[in-house]
């Protein structure tokens, strides 16, 4: 498999990746950031997987059930055919949602007498110790006694010994596997699993029906919205950057990070987009997550947190795992949580303002949000002149990054708007003076007349794709000659066959060698806004063609081969896809009419 040809299934508690041939190669239970049960993605030999094996006569195809997170893999050999419907149960129940730490593989018999074998090989706790698997009366149990005791349970309608021994199984009627973190109190049945499937389908159809209908790119917008929802964690409101750890930006290099955490920047950008699509509850839960994180008025925000609000995310390497395609190290935790990045305050204030302006009469935590607003202004006013690590998390020296400064301006600009919404005018004069001071500083120091562009940092000649967001956040008008010439300079310096580098100057790990997907979307967005609409749409269609077979994107794209690289699926990439697609589309006023789905 030379690409990230995976589908994601999940239930807003955890997620799993299913390959295009139906192998589950990544799954962490009971939650997104728990240790892995299957990690063949990070080590094909010892990581563990849950494979469905058929002979070479079978043609295998894969798709999502439209407007849902149910993944359908179809196996056909002549008149013999069956489908696997993979999902993690999620549906409404009294007092909330049912989202158990388990996945279901529902086998639907279509015709003939198809045959398959199973390779069920869980490796608990990141495959750190031995995992022993046994057949019991009602289930198959796997357990490890390594540094940590752990178990998982497999229930099935098929012969358990045949499953575990990898013997051939004939399918003449529907069947199932249920793999979960906990032992079930009541024995599953095929009928119960079909009911779980139907309930989960109804949940996703209802959720998707709230996404507006668009004349263009409707399927891509819907799939990206569902993907962002799958990366949201219901329990606390956190939003993950991606579902995986240590998928490298470039094969064989060490730019491998754990993305199963909530970056304030990534999450806030995702929430703004998904909130704009009308999914208000995701945004409400995220704002509550922020309120819960900041109990003290003078507390500085970290750039990222654990999905259960953990503040310490110690980074360790798992030396025993070979890494994706041999790209070690495999990391758990992320040392970047200690970094200072001043842009997060502006990005967060932008989301707070968006939600308050839309729902000012129905905000439950308005007083807390006003307190956070004042606290952010206090922090920004005291620290905006300081250098930081920037949006790309340079691990070396701090610099005065243009993007960070612009977002400090955004923080004060949105705080002023929030103050007006709440009719709190006492601080407006002081805040307005600060906003103007920051803007003057940026215009004087970030503009470099030698290159005729706003550059990566003060005094630099280096281009940086993040500077394109100056326009999106309202700092500068799209038709301003300085912005137009910045877009042109970035295209000249950073574009490679239509794909963008984040930057081309050397960082802590040498020169970047893959395209950062969100940057290409930002560039296309900027091209469109400066008036190059046909060129922008042509490049957008080209970029969409680089997704995997299910329309999913990771963090990076290889310039030469166009293969997907980096953690997957990536919230950043999908939120930016939605922004571009909506920009290019005319929203229809009527509510989306969902087609009947077989």
């Amino acid at each position: 498999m030379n690409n990230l040809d995976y589908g994601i299934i999940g239930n807003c508690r955890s997620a799993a990746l299913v390959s295009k041939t139906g192998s589950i190669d990544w799954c962490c239970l009971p939650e997104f950031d728990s240790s892995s049960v299957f990690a063949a993605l990070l080590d094909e030999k010892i990581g563990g997987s849950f494979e469905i094996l058929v002979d070479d006569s079978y043609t295998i195809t894969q798709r999502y059930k439209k407007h849902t997170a149910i993944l359908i893999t179809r196996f056909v050999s002549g008149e013999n055919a069956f489908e696997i419907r993979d999902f993690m149960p999620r549906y409404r129940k009294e007092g909330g949602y049912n989202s158990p730490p388990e996945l279901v593989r529902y086998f639907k018999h279509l015709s003939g007498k198809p045959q398959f074998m199973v390779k069920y090989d869980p490796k608990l706790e990141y495959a750190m110790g031995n995992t022993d698997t046994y057949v019991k009366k009602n289930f198959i149990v796997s357990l490890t006694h390594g540094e940590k005791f752990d178990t998982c349970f497999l229930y099935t309608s098929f012969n358990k010994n045949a499953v575990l021994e990898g013997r051939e199984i004939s399918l003449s009627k529907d069947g199932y596997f249920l793999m979960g973190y906990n032992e079930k109190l009541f024995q599953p049945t095929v009928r119960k699993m079909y009911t779980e499937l139907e309930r989960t389908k109804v949940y996703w159809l209802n959720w998707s029906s709230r996404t507006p209908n668009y004349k263009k790119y409707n399927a891509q917008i819907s799939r990206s919205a569902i993907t962002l929802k799958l990366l949201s964690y219901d329990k606390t409101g956190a939003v993950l950057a991606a579902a995986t750890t240590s998928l490298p930006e470039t094969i064989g290099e060490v730019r491998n990070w754990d993305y199963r955490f909530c970056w304030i920047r990534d999450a806030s950008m995702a929430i703004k987009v998904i909130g704009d699509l009308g999914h208000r509850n995701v945004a409400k839960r995220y704002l509550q997550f922020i309120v819960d994180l900041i109990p003290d008025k003078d507390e500085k925000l970290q750039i990222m947190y654990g999905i259960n609000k953990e503040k310490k995310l110690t980074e360790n390497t798992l030396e025993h795992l070979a890494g994706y395609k041999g790209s070690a190290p495999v990391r758990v935790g992320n040392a970047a949580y200690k970094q200072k990045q001043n842009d997060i305050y502006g990005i967060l204030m932008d989301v707070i303002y968006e939600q308050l302006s839309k729902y000012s009469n129905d905000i439950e935590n308005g007083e807390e949000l006003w307190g956070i607003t004042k606290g952010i202004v206090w922090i920004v006013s005291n620290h905006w002149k300081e250098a930081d690590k920037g949006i790309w998390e340079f691990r070396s020296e701090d610099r005065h990054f243009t993007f960070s400064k612009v977002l400090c301006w955004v923080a004060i600009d949105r705080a002023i708007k929030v103050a007006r919404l709440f009719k709190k005018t006492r601080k407006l004069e002081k805040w307005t003076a600060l906003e103007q001071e920051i803007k003057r500083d940026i215009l004087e120091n970030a503009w470099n007349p030698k290159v005729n562009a706003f550059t990566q940092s003060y005094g630099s000649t280096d281009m940086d794709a993040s500077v394109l967001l100056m326009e999106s956040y309202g700092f500068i008008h799209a038709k301003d000659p300085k912005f137009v010439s910045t877009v042109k300079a970035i295209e000249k310096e950073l574009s490679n066959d239509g794909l963008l580098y984040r930057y081309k100057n050397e960082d802590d790990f040498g020169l970047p060698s893959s395209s950062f997907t969100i940057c290409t979307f930002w560039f296309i967005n900027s091209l469109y806004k400066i008036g190059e609409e046909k060129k922008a749409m042509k490049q957008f269609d080209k970029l969409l063609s680089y997704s995997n077979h299910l329309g999913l994107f990771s963090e990076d794209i290889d310039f030469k081969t166009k293969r997907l690289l980096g953690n997957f699926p990536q919230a950043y990439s999908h939120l930016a896809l939605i922004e571009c697609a909506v920009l290019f589309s005319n929203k229809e006023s009527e509510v989306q009419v969902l087609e009947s789905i077989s």
Side-chain angles (χ1 to χ4, degrees), residues 473-485:
Y473 281 107
F475 182 85
I476 194 168
H477 193 273
K479 298 297 196 295
D480 187 305
K482 285 189 171 182
F483 183 70
V484 174
S485 64

Side-chain angles (χ1 to χ4, degrees), residues 474-570:
F475 182 85
I476 194 168
H477 193 273
K479 298 297 196 295
D480 187 305
K482 285 189 171 182
F483 183 70
V484 174
S485 64
T486 298
V487 175
K488 298 288 188 186
I490 284 173
E491 179 175 27
K492 184 182 174 186
E493 185 68 24
L494 300 184
S495 179
N496 180 338
D497 191 25
L499 294 175
L500 255 73
Y501 288 91
R502 286 180 282 183
Y503 47 84
K504 275 175 84 173
N505 46 304
E506 201 163 318
D507 62 19
D508 319 297
F509 302 98
L511 291 170
S513 54
S514 60
S515 172
F516 206 65
T517 309
I518 193 173
C519 296
T520 307
F521 283 119
W522 289 343
F523 172 63
I524 290 166
N525 197 307
S526 299
L527 268 185
Y528 190 91
K529 287 179 176 175
I530 66 171
E532 298 194 22
E533 296 178 7
K534 283 185 179 175
K535 183 176 175 182
M537 293 181 79
K538 187 179 176 184
Q539 293 213 13
F540 184 61
D541 289 335
K542 192 175 179 184
L543 179 55
L544 290 182
S545 75
Y546 301 148
S547 75
N548 76 3
H549 63 298
L550 296 166
L552 299 180
F553 280 95
S554 62
E555 180 181 43
D556 304 273
I557 297 172
D558 184 271
F559 284 115
K560 289 179 184 172
T561 64
K562 308 299 189 280
R563 74 182 284 176
L564 301 180
L565 295 165
N567 283 308
F568 174 88
Q570 179 86 357

Side-chain angles (χ1 to χ4, degrees), residues 245-264:
T245 179
S246 304
L247 297 187
E249 293 178 26
T250 303
I251 301 294
E253 289 193 5
V254 297
R255 298 170 191 264
N256 313 335
W257 317 110
D258 192 345
Y259 273 19
R260 297 169 299 159
F261 302 112
C262 183
W263 270 258
I264 297 299

Side-chain angles (χ1 to χ4, degrees), residues 248-387:
E249 293 178 26
T250 303
I251 301 294
E253 289 193 5
V254 297
R255 298 170 191 264
N256 313 335
W257 317 110
D258 192 345
Y259 273 19
R260 297 169 299 159
F261 302 112
C262 183
W263 270 258
I264 297 299
R265 179 193 308 108
D266 303 41
S268 298
M269 286 181 172
I271 287 300
K272 185 179 178 184
V273 167
I274 210 162
D276 285 346
L277 291 179
H279 296 287
R280 195 191 160 201
N281 284 342
V282 183
K284 273 177 74 175
R285 279 193 284 267
Y286 177 67
L287 287 184
Q288 189 58 53
F289 177 73
I290 296 298
V291 167
D292 293 344
L293 281 176
I294 313 178
D296 302 317
K297 290 178 181 174
D298 67 340
E299 184 164 337
K300 285 189 194 176
L301 269 177
Q302 291 182 190
I303 66 160
M304 60 192 288
Y305 295 87
I307 57 171
N308 284 300
K309 305 174 201 163
E310 299 93 340
K311 295 183 179 180
K312 193 174 179 184
L313 307 173
T314 307
E315 187 176 299
N316 298 303
T317 57
L318 302 179
E319 305 286 350
H320 65 290
L321 293 177
Y324 177 78
K325 307 296 180 192
S327 303
V330 171
R331 305 177 202 258
V332 175
N334 198 310
Y337 79 92
K338 297 175 183 174
Q339 289 190 0
K340 182 174 78 174
Q341 295 171 19
N342 292 332
D343 62 287
I344 59 173
Y345 297 104
I347 288 168
L348 178 57
M349 273 310 309
D350 188 50
V351 173
I352 290 173
Y353 168 66
E354 284 274 322
Q355 294 304 306
L356 288 173
S357 60
K358 279 183 189 166
Y359 307 110
S360 56
N361 297 325
D362 187 29
I363 291 284
E364 296 158 11
N365 42 22
E367 289 175 1
E368 287 99 332
L369 292 174
W370 174 237
I372 287 170
T373 298
K374 290 189 292 181
I376 285 175
V377 173
W378 186 87
I379 290 166
V380 171
S381 66
N382 282 293
H383 298 284
W384 74 270
K385 291 181 181 178
E386 297 169 6

